[in-house]
Amino acid sequence: MKKKLLAIVLAASMVMSLAACGSSAGTAAPAAEPEAAADTADAGADAAADTADTAAADTAAAEPASSGSTTDVAFVTDVGNIDDQSFNQYTWAGVQQFCSDNGLNANYYKPSEDSDAARVEQMDNAIKDGAKVVVMAGYLFAAALGEVQEKYPDVSFLALDVSKGDLENPAANTALITYKEEQAGYLAGYAAVTDGYKELGFLGGMAVPAVVRYGYGFVQGAEQAAKDQGISDVNIKYWYSGSFVATDDIKAKMDSWYSEGTEVVFACGGSICNSCLAAAQANNGKMIGVDVDQSNLDPCVITSAMKALSNSVIVTLTDAKANGWKFSDAYAGKETTLGAAEDCVGLPMDSSVFTTFNQEQYDKLFASLVDGSLVVDNSFDTAVTPKVSNVKVDYQE
């Protein structure tokens, strides 16, 4: 995980530097070579720059794919831009890498507005261009997906972070991918306490299942790390803001946490991380990012609880291609939850800023998630909080 996940993260950064700006009609952009990305992961930051230059040169000279379609695999973007350092960017990077590996054409399609009609319009455009699979990311796609899966029974649809709670009846041509956020949260909580932080915070957006699992995993990881160290003076402030949008009120709340002694806050919920980041910068505090590697935001980000979006795209598209662009029984008409065992959650250790928690400890912890010897409670019932004995959790309204 430690190298493969980093390689994909680096590949995402590289391919975005090569991608043209998207339009409502869709824009193709070739992917960086995966071998180059893997070499970059091993060689470090200097080699990354060299590899990016090489990839750009190779891409410029590459022959176009000979699939016969303008688009083989389409990505319809969520709200925001293709270079958002979040779901759009890393999902698109996975689509690009898969298509590059298989001699196929990738295009992305950006809805003209935040509406179901605009999303359906761009799926229509992608399918007119020949898309065999349409990829999307985010629960906002549920209603549009419910419409197009019936409209186009011969096209496959891959939806990341869309659950059966969002789309109750996925058709056989639809695969829903969700993640074991509790595992990523656990790793972040365990690492923070092992690294010496005793005053922690969890800032969630809306108390939707994914956010709750991140938070409860974070509490469980902190609890186990405290037990392993034989300490009982770890405190966690815990709060759902009720929004995924950055606000002055959230910043003020985080200012108060940091000024009261909170050392590091796990900010989990879209752009609310910006409110937390501003407070951390103003108070010399630390932050833990979410979903993707957010170390680029500021040096105060010590690590990120990640979903390997690119890797999950590649895993699922590989399955579809092997079955004539139809999903196998493992994915067809189902919600499939991916975690450590599938290399789809983790911490970006190469960009993390720890003083005590190290790669060996991480590898051991991650391996226990993979082999099942460590099971993290994946409950998202806000009325039933994790049992703790070595940490104290202040659940705030």
Side-chain angles (χ1 to χ4, degrees):
M1 177 72 178
K2 58 184 181 295
K3 290 187 177 180
K4 185 174 182 181
L5 183 59
L6 176 65
I8 291 173
V9 169
L10 288 170
S13 300
M14 291 159 57
V15 298
M16 290 318 304
S17 69
L18 306 177
C21 295
S23 70
S24 61
T27 303
E33 294 296 328
E35 293 85 1
D39 291 342
T40 300
D42 291 334
D46 291 338
D50 294 338
T51 304
D53 291 340
T54 301
D58 290 346
T59 299
E63 293 296 323
S66 57
S67 64
S69 296
T70 302
T71 299
D72 294 300
V73 181
F75 173 54
V76 179
T77 67
D78 195 5
V79 176
N81 295 321
I82 199 68
D83 58 352
D84 63 359
Q85 292 291 323
S86 188
F87 274 81
N88 284 332
Q89 178 167 335
Y90 289 90
T91 303
W92 172 232
V95 171
Q96 288 183 287
Q97 183 171 337
F98 173 81
C99 288
S100 177
D101 290 348
N102 290 279
L104 302 172
N105 285 321
N107 274 297
Y108 72 83
Y109 297 75
K110 183 176 179 179
S112 58
E113 63 181 18
D114 179 13
S115 72
D116 295 331
R119 295 180 185 95
V120 171
E121 178 185 32
Q122 292 311 316
M123 293 186 207
D124 288 339
N125 288 339
I127 292 165
K128 287 175 185 176
D129 287 344
K132 303 169 182 66
V133 183
V134 177
V135 182
M136 63 209 77
Y139 71 94
L140 291 175
F141 278 95
L145 179 55
E147 178 179 338
V148 297
Q149 68 176 3
E150 303 297 336
K151 186 178 180 180
Y152 300 107
D154 295 327
V155 176
S156 294
F157 297 93
L158 170 60
L160 307 186
D161 236 30
V162 178
S163 70
K164 291 192 72 173
D166 303 314
L167 179 65
E168 187 174 349
N169 295 306
N173 60 332
T174 293
L176 306 180
I177 299 298
T178 54
Y179 299 89
K180 296 182 179 180
E181 292 94 353
E182 69 279 0
Q183 292 185 341
Y186 185 101
L187 292 168
Y190 191 97
V193 173
T194 302
D195 208 50
Y197 295 102
K198 294 185 177 182
E199 298 297 329
L200 313 179
F202 175 77
L203 166 63
M206 294 181 184
V208 297
V211 172
V212 178
R213 286 194 294 264
Y214 267 131
Y216 284 1
F218 185 69
V219 171
Q220 292 174 71
E223 167 72 7
Q224 188 58 54
K227 284 183 177 179
D228 289 349
Q229 294 182 54
I231 59 177
S232 57
D233 56 346
V234 175
N235 299 295
I236 304 175
K237 289 184 172 69
Y238 195 110
W239 180 59
Y240 299 112
S241 68
S243 170
F244 291 125
V245 178
T247 67
D248 290 340
D249 287 342
I250 296 174
K251 180 183 179 298
K253 180 87 168 180
M254 295 301 100
D255 277 328
S256 70
W257 279 12
Y258 284 118
S259 65
E260 291 166 1
T262 297
E263 298 168 296
V264 58
V265 175
F266 179 18
C268 180
S271 66
I272 65 171
C273 72
N274 294 323
S275 296
C276 185
L277 180 62
Q281 292 169 329
N283 293 276
N284 197 29
K286 304 295 184 183
M287 191 179 89
I288 294 172
V290 74
D291 287 337
V292 299
D293 183 359
Q294 294 186 315
S295 61
N296 63 297
L297 296 179
D298 190 88
C300 75
V301 178
I302 62 169
T303 193
S304 300
M306 291 176 56
K307 301 173 181 178
L309 300 167
S310 298
N311 196 37
S312 59
V313 169
I314 294 167
V315 166
T316 317
L317 290 180
T318 298
D319 173 89
K321 184 176 183 295
N323 289 279
W325 296 112
K326 305 294 182 184
F327 296 116
S328 71
D329 291 342
Y331 300 98
K334 297 178 180 178
E335 175 187 344
T336 305
T337 305
L338 306 179
E342 295 79 20
D343 222 11
C344 285
V345 299
L347 305 182
M349 288 298 291
D350 287 72
S351 63
S352 296
V353 184
F354 295 125
T355 57
T356 302
F357 185 69
N358 59 43
Q359 187 71 57
E360 182 179 356
Q361 291 170 307
Y362 176 77
D363 290 344
K364 182 178 179 180
L365 194 61
F366 190 86
S368 67
L369 290 171
V370 172
D371 66 23
S373 58
L374 169 58
V375 177
V376 185
D377 184 358
N378 64 356
S379 170
F380 53 87
D381 183 353
T382 55
V384 183
T385 58
K387 294 181 179 179
V388 295
S389 58
N390 286 55
V391 304
K392 296 179 180 65
V393 186
D394 176 15
Y395 293 97
Q396 301 182 4
E397 295 295 330

